[in-house]
Every structure is written in structure tokens, then in C-alpha cells.
Amino acid sequence: MVQQTNSYRQKMWCHKQSLTDSLIFHTPYDCCVRSLKGNGSFGLVVHCSNNLGTTSYAIKKLKTNTDECSLLREVAILKHVKQHRFFVNFVMAYECEGSRYIVFDLMDTDLHQIIQSEQDLSKSHVKYFLFQIVTALNFLHDSGIVHRDIKPQN
């Protein structure tokens, strides 16, 4: 993937990829959209991989009404939590043709999918999931950060 910078305002050479007739997504030239992963109040997330198919990313396209202050705050927090093992890895942020994007490593699944699956969870699984959640929340709170959207999908 393209080089990271310290600013979210990274301008890049992007190409348009149409997910639907009305849904356009800009990706770096070395990435290809594979599938839509989610859509919510924040915007939408797609699964992308590099053209060789060896590295996968989740790219979040922020809603157009996302103000710059909110974006800068989110990028600063993502850079801070990057050092913790229970947070998804922030790769970079970029802007292309007026749209803003945030790139993460792709996670195979989330807690919501695990809960909804037919797989039985042992007590040790549940204990480990709770350990991860409590440890991550403790790290956030020690850093003066309050998570306002705690749910299994996040």
C-alpha cells in the first residue's frame, strides 16, 4: 500500500470503483475492492486487497458531513491506540476527490459474528473475550479517552 504520512490530508493517486450505481469508492491504485463489509452512521467499510491479493485492508469512507475536527480527533486516537494489542491496526488516512478515508488492517471477524454463530463458546472463550474488552477499556480510560459506541461489532 502507499506510504503513510503524519497527516490525514495525504493526497494520493486513486481510482474509482463502483460498488453500486450510486456508490463510488476511491482506493489507492494498488488496491482493489473485494466486498462491502458494513454501512452505518459513520459511513461505509469495504474489504480491499492489494492487486496481488496478498494483503487485505478495511477502508472506511467517512460520510461527507464528517467535520475536519472529528476526523483529526479519530486519527489521533487511532494512532495512540495502535500501540495496544487489542485494537485494530490503523494503517493510514487519505483524501481523494473530496472524500475522506481511513485504512485499517482487515479483521477476519468481530465479536458480534462470533456471538451469532452456531459455535458453542466455552467458559474460557468468554473469559478471554471479557479480558480483552476490559483491558482495552482500561487502556482507553487511562489515556483519557471515552468510547461512546461500545458494542460487539466494534
Side-chain angles (χ1 to χ4, degrees), residues 78-109:
L78 290 169
K79 286 179 178 181
H80 177 72
V81 301
K82 183 177 184 174
Q83 63 188 302
H84 195 280
R85 65 183 178 145
F86 294 141
F87 287 92
V88 65
N89 185 44
F90 166 73
V91 176
M92 63 183 271
Y94 65 95
E95 186 174 30
C96 192
E97 293 189 21
S99 295
R100 296 173 178 152
Y101 301 86
I102 300 177
V103 182
F104 304 92
D105 286 342
L106 182 70
M107 301 300 293
D108 293 331
T109 190

Side-chain angles (χ1 to χ4, degrees), residues 101-129:
Y101 301 86
I102 300 177
V103 182
F104 304 92
D105 286 342
L106 182 70
M107 301 300 293
D108 293 331
T109 190
D110 62 34
L111 188 56
H112 178 73
Q113 291 174 333
I114 292 170
I115 292 169
Q116 295 299 317
S117 75
E118 298 294 321
Q119 177 182 351
D120 290 333
L121 295 176
S122 67
K123 282 186 180 181
S124 60
H125 282 114
V126 174
K127 284 181 181 180
Y128 188 62
F129 292 145

Side-chain angles (χ1 to χ4, degrees), residues 16-29:
K16 288 183 181 180
Q17 297 187 46
S18 297
L19 298 175
T20 65
D21 289 339
S22 62
L23 189 55
I24 304 295
F25 214 86
H26 296 91
T27 61
Y29 273 114

